[in-house]
Amino acid sequence: MTSQIAKRFVAGTALGMSMLFGANVAMAQDALSTDQKAEIEGVIEQYLLDNPDVLLRAIQNVQSWQAAEQSRQQAEAIVPVWDALVADSSVPSVGPVDAPVTVIEFFDYHCGYCKRAFDGVKEIVENSDGKVRTLFIEFPILREESTLAARAALAAAKQGKYMETHEAFMTNRGLLDQDRINELAAGAGVDVDQMLEDMKAPEITGMISQYSAMAHAVGISGTPAFLINGTMVSGADMDRVNALVDAGLKDAS
């Protein structure tokens, strides 16, 4: 097995040298006979077999580079999505637009982890003293009823009842089918007949589709996911979310 890894490493090294040095390396390789090439590869392979820590360090370096490159690409992808969401007045939000800290949450109403994080998100909203803006991004991915609930919440927003409906849906412990959605929305003070009509609006369909495209563009495939002043937090890691919020507030003070 180690020998096979070493051979692949040798091949990869040759490819990397070709990419780095271009035609000069290719010409040097062409100048070598088959026996000379085999001898050089054998020396390298034996060296790696005798010094496996070298191979291990090389693999670790590649993995570190890949992780850093992935983070860089994700950070670049976040910028246009972040700018678009922060500037979009149709996105349900709480807090002033000029708040020094902005939290964006992507969630699904049938996501247990989202429900687990809800109290922490609510605490940020209620205790921010106007210094944190929180945006709520409907990202229904778990089941068909999640899309129904997302449509209902965005329809309720047209009546100025988004947060009341959002909390009712998040604290519900069961399936959010249409009957349950209507019941919870009515309890939140929503005109249910108007909500049902607004749920059909192409505008709401477009919002949900846009949010989904944005989530995938920044590499979000599960819920919840947070962006805090542009930094991604995946999962219900409220300790990390709160730490970033606190850091943002400290930087702004």
Side-chain angles (χ1 to χ4, degrees):
M1 180 64 71
T2 305
S3 178
Q4 293 175 352
I5 293 174
K7 289 179 179 178
R8 288 197 294 269
F9 181 77
V10 170
T13 301
L15 176 60
M17 290 175 65
S18 296
M19 293 173 65
L20 287 171
F21 301 107
N24 290 335
V25 173
M27 291 174 61
Q29 289 179 334
D30 289 341
L32 296 174
S33 68
T34 301
D35 289 343
Q36 288 173 322
K37 291 179 182 178
E39 182 178 357
I40 292 172
E41 290 176 356
V43 170
I44 296 174
E45 179 180 344
Q46 188 59 51
Y47 175 79
L48 293 174
L49 292 174
D50 293 340
N51 300 274
D53 58 306
V54 174
L55 181 57
L56 178 60
R57 290 199 303 273
I59 293 173
Q60 290 172 337
N61 286 339
V62 170
Q63 291 173 336
S64 296
W65 177 85
Q66 289 175 331
E69 180 64 12
Q70 184 178 16
S71 295
R72 184 192 65 79
Q73 291 176 359
Q74 185 180 61
E76 287 185 354
I78 285 173
V79 172
V81 169
W82 175 270
D83 290 345
L85 289 174
V86 169
D88 189 348
S89 61
S90 70
V91 177
S93 67
V94 176
V97 295
D98 60 349
V101 176
T102 298
V103 176
I104 300 178
E105 180 189 11
F106 290 77
F107 62 88
D108 183 304
Y109 285 118
H110 286 97
C111 167
Y113 292 105
C114 298
K115 293 179 183 293
R116 185 180 303 175
F118 175 70
D119 286 342
V121 174
K122 184 179 179 182
E123 185 175 342
I124 291 173
V125 169
E126 294 178 346
N127 299 326
S128 64
D129 296 326
K131 297 180 180 178
V132 178
R133 183 186 182 203
T134 305
L135 283 69
F136 301 91
I137 309 301
E138 306 282 345
F139 186 40
I141 57 174
L142 294 180
R143 56 189 309 148
E144 183 178 347
E145 288 83 0
S146 295
T147 301
L148 274 180
R151 286 182 174 277
L154 292 173
K158 291 178 173 290
Q159 301 179 37
K161 294 291 184 180
Y162 181 83
M163 284 308 300
E164 295 88 342
T165 305
H166 178 75
E167 181 168 2
F169 289 176
M170 273 296 177
T171 54
N172 179 68
R173 293 295 184 265
L175 180 66
L176 284 167
D177 59 14
Q178 191 66 66
D179 288 341
R180 183 58 174 159
I181 286 171
N182 295 350
E183 178 184 358
L184 292 171
V190 175
D191 180 333
V192 173
D193 290 338
Q194 185 62 51
M195 179 194 76
L196 292 171
E197 185 64 28
D198 289 337
M199 285 174 66
K200 306 172 187 176
E203 173 191 353
I204 287 180
T205 300
M207 290 173 72
I208 293 174
S209 295
Q210 182 183 30
Y211 295 159
S212 177
M214 287 176 165
H216 291 303
V218 299
I220 297 173
S221 58
T223 54
F226 298 88
L227 299 176
I228 300 92
N229 280 5
T231 298
M232 172 86 73
V233 176
S234 299
D237 187 354
M238 293 310 297
D239 288 341
R240 175 66 173 153
V241 171
N242 287 326
L244 288 170
V245 169
D246 290 343
L249 293 174
K250 183 177 180 179
D251 289 343
S253 61

